[in-house]
């Protein structure tokens, strides 16, 4: 039988327990359902604790910051990249496109809320701007040029060589260099260009059409054939595979040495990577010819299968200037014609001034024609 004292004591203990549980709930944020305000007072406290326990904006994104610095160093130091498996040439071919890494890393830095990574992106920004910022501006000079030159890899698989020839003649070029000529299409180009260009020469797969007289024309040995059997090859067979020539153009300002060249192709191969063997060998031979050239005024036109940033062309680009870099507007990408991403078709000069440089509309080739105006 329960007494009144027992009932009173039980009620007192129950009230004390409920009070203690309410205090615990406020302190710990653990409360049962249906209890108003349970945990709401401790939520801001928990958020503050979590915020203080996280790394600050200057401590987050350290990996992104390292990647940004490495990207910034890669651009000016690209010559130090090993050329094993053609890696160096591959990087230098697409060097301007490394700038796309900046917005990618910026988005990652913003998502990570990393101040360190964001500031580190100044390194690649400064590097890209110092290397390529001048390419964006229009560097062309006003006025007429003494000579307009055009170079075009017309493409061995060109479905409309006659149309290509007419388009090139309509450009008004004084000198027109063609590369990748085939025996099948050679007659077509000679016929279509005869009226506009009274002088021309074809050596193997390259040719030059000119409004001005030519003299001293000869093929240039770029070591297309090499190895033990190269010396045994008949001269006629060697000439058919010639991919470079040198001639002298008679201008009102004096003789101008003109070279037309088509260096070996590059290939992406599963086992050897970015293969540049024949291109590099041809470039070295052409560099020797350029170094030996006695005429101080010189123009080199052709498909060099490499950009002017490519170290494989240093023997040439160290002695000649890029028309596009001197007087172009933008990068002047020429390949592939449908969506140009690299400039491997070059106009290089020495002893003359480039007034402007540009690309012409697409023809039936997979390359765009490149043009430049030069003056004395």
């Amino acid at each position: 039988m329960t007494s009144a004292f027992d009932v009173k004591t039980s009620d007192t203990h129950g009230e004390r327990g409920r009070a203690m549980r309410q205090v615990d709930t406020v302190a710990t944020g653990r409360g049962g359902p249906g209890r108003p305000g349970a945990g709401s007072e401790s939520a801001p406290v928990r958020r503050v604790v979590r915020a203080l326990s996280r790394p600050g904006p200057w401590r987050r994104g350290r990996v992104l910051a390292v990647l940004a610095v490495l990207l910034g160093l890669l651009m000016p130091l690209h010559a130090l990249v090993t050329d094993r498996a053609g890696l160096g040439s591959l990087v230098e071919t697409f060097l301007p496109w490394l700038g796309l890494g900046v917005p990618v890393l910026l988005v990652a830095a913003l998502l990570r809320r990393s101040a360190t990574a964001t500031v580190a992106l100044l390194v690649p920004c400064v590097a890209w701007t110092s290397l390529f910022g001048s390419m964006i501006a229009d560097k062309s000079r006003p006025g007429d040029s003494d000579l307009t030159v055009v170079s075009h890899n017309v493409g061995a698989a060109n479905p409309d060589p006659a149309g290509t020839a007419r388009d090139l003649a309509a450009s008004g070029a004084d000198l027109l260099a063609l590369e990748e000529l085939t025996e099948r299409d050679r007659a077509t180009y000679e016929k279509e260009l005869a009226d506009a260009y009274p002088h021309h020469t074809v050596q193997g797969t390259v040719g030059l059409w000119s409004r001005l007289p030519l003299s001293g024309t000869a093929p240039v040995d770029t070591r297309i054939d090499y190895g033990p059997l190269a010396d045994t090859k008949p001269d006629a067979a060697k000439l058919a595979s010639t991919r470079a020539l040198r001639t002298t153009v008679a201008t009102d300002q004096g003789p101008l040495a003109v070279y037309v060249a088509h260096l070996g192709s590059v290939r992406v191969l599963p086992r050897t990577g970015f293969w540049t063997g024949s291109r590099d060998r041809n470039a070295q031979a052409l560099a020797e010819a350029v170094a030996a050239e006695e005429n101080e005024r010189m123009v080199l036109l052709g498909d060099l299968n490499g950009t002017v940033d490519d170290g494989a062309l240093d023997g040439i680009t160290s002695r000649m200037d890029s028309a596009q870099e001197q007087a172009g507007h933008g990068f002047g990408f020429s390949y592939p014609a449908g969506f140009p991403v690299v400039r491997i078709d070059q106009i290089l000069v020495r002893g003359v001034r480039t007034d402007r440089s540009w690309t012409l509309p697409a023809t039936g080739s997979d390359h765009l024609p490149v043009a430049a105006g030069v003056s004395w």
Side-chain angles (χ1 to χ4, degrees), residues 113-353:
R113 297 181 181 179
S114 170
T116 302
T118 303
V119 172
L121 283 170
L122 289 174
V123 178
C125 286
V126 171
W128 192 94
T129 302
S130 64
L131 289 174
F132 305 112
S134 63
M135 299 295 293
I136 300 175
D138 185 356
K139 300 179 290 298
S140 61
R141 298 178 176 88
D144 296 331
S145 301
D146 293 330
L147 209 62
T148 299
V149 298
V150 168
S151 177
H152 188 30
N153 180 326
V154 293
N158 192 326
D160 184 19
T164 296
R166 289 191 293 269
D167 290 342
L168 293 173
S171 70
D174 299 296
L175 299 178
L176 177 60
L178 304 185
E179 304 89 46
E180 210 166 288
L181 291 168
T182 65
E183 282 294 330
R184 178 196 64 212
D185 295 333
R186 173 177 171 173
T188 300
Y189 286 107
E190 289 177 331
K191 176 183 176 181
E192 296 295 335
L193 296 174
D195 292 340
Y197 299 96
H199 311 280
H200 88 280
T201 179
V202 175
Q203 302 288 321
T205 63
V206 296
L208 181 70
W209 277 257
S210 173
R211 299 183 190 276
L212 303 171
L214 305 177
S215 63
T217 302
V220 175
D221 182 9
T222 55
R223 300 177 193 145
I224 293 296
D225 300 302
Y226 74 104
L229 299 180
D231 293 336
T232 64
K233 193 172 183 179
D235 290 341
K238 289 182 179 180
L239 181 60
S241 61
T242 294
R243 294 175 62 159
L245 66 83
R246 187 253 183 227
T247 191
T248 299
V249 179
T251 74
D252 293 338
Q253 292 76 22
L256 174 70
V258 176
Y259 285 71
V260 181
H262 183 195
L263 302 187
S265 299
V266 297
R267 296 283 187 269
V268 179
L269 303 176
R271 292 185 177 181
T272 58
F274 195 61
W275 182 78
T276 61
S278 64
R279 191 279 309 270
D280 295 351
R281 185 177 65 254
N282 301 161
Q284 182 179 355
L286 183 60
E288 293 171 3
V290 169
E293 175 58 50
E294 296 180 354
N295 193 331
E296 63 179 14
R297 294 172 176 172
M298 175 183 173
V299 174
L300 169 59
L301 309 163
D303 173 7
L304 303 188
N305 271 307
T307 70
V308 293
D309 296 311
D310 197 319
L313 303 184
D314 281 352
I316 301 170
T317 55
S318 62
R319 295 180 173 90
M320 306 188 73
D321 297 316
S322 165
Q324 185 66 23
E325 291 190 348
Q326 275 195 345
H329 185 191
F331 290 95
F333 295 144
S334 63
Y335 181 84
F339 186 76
V341 295
V342 294
R343 183 182 177 90
I344 58 176
D345 301 276
Q346 307 293 348
I347 298 176
L348 305 177
V349 301
R350 186 183 77 186
V352 294
R353 184 188 73 234

Side-chain angles (χ1 to χ4, degrees), residues 36-59:
S40 61
E41 297 180 17
S42 65
V45 176
R46 291 200 305 274
R47 285 195 293 268
V48 171
V49 171
R50 283 197 300 268
L52 292 176
S53 64
R54 293 197 206 102
W58 292 102
R59 298 178 60 190

